[in-house]
Amino acid sequence: MNDAIHIQDLRVWAHVGVLEQERLHGQWFSLDLTLLVDLQRAASTDNLAATADYSLAVKAVQELATRLRCQTIEHFSEQVFERLEALYGLLPMRVILRKCKAPIPGFAGTVAVERHRRWPEFAERVGS
């Protein structure tokens, strides 16, 4: 499959982190989501029902972020997968989840996890 829907830089405020203050006060996260889907029917018919409505993914992740309380971005990413699979089924998908300001003294960058479900290129790259 050569088609994909990308959602990039979805910003959400979530209560995720190892430190109690991170879970209590929250912080910004940024997500990139990719769904590998066949877009041909939607492209030829202009029918929203023939594609994966990305607005549902945005709303689902935003809602998840408002209620989630956990320690790791890995767990946060797992919850994102569960939401996406509930919406779209078992599509190949990728989630990149960034903590925008990790509370590490002297560190100004971002920390991210990249995770895949049924992602063919990734499986080939790691020899699965």
Side-chain angles (χ1 to χ4, degrees), residues 1-4 35-39 91-92 120-121:
M1 185 176 330
N2 295 322
D3 300 337
L35 305 172
L36 297 185
V37 295
D38 184 352
L39 300 175
L91 294 175
E121 295 166 11

Side-chain angles (χ1 to χ4, degrees), residues 5 45 126 128:
I5 293 175
T45 65
V126 296
S128 298

Side-chain angles (χ1 to χ4, degrees), residues 26-87:
Q27 61 194 299
W28 285 108
F29 292 83
S30 171
L31 294 96
D32 294 343
L33 311 172
T34 301
L35 305 172
L36 297 185
V37 295
D38 184 352
L39 300 175
Q40 182 56 46
R41 195 167 70 113
S44 63
T45 65
D46 194 29
N47 182 352
L48 180 61
T51 188
D53 181 349
Y54 55 81
S55 72
L56 299 176
V58 170
K59 290 174 190 172
V61 172
Q62 289 171 328
E63 190 277 327
L64 171 65
T66 64
R67 67 169 184 76
L68 184 68
R69 300 288 188 278
C70 65
Q71 292 188 39
T72 65
I73 57 177
E74 293 85 350
H75 184 74
F76 187 2
S77 68
E78 185 68 20
Q79 298 304 303
V80 170
F81 276 135
E82 288 183 14
R83 288 293 178 102
L84 295 177
E85 288 173 345
L87 287 170

Side-chain angles (χ1 to χ4, degrees), residues 34 36 77-79 81-82 85 90-95 115-120 122:
T34 301
L36 297 185
S77 68
E78 185 68 20
Q79 298 304 303
F81 276 135
E82 288 183 14
E85 288 173 345
L90 302 179
L91 294 175
M93 56 184 71
R94 177 181 67 184
V95 171
R115 302 202 48 226
H116 306 86
R117 288 285 190 275
R118 294 163 295 283
W119 194 260
F122 181 74

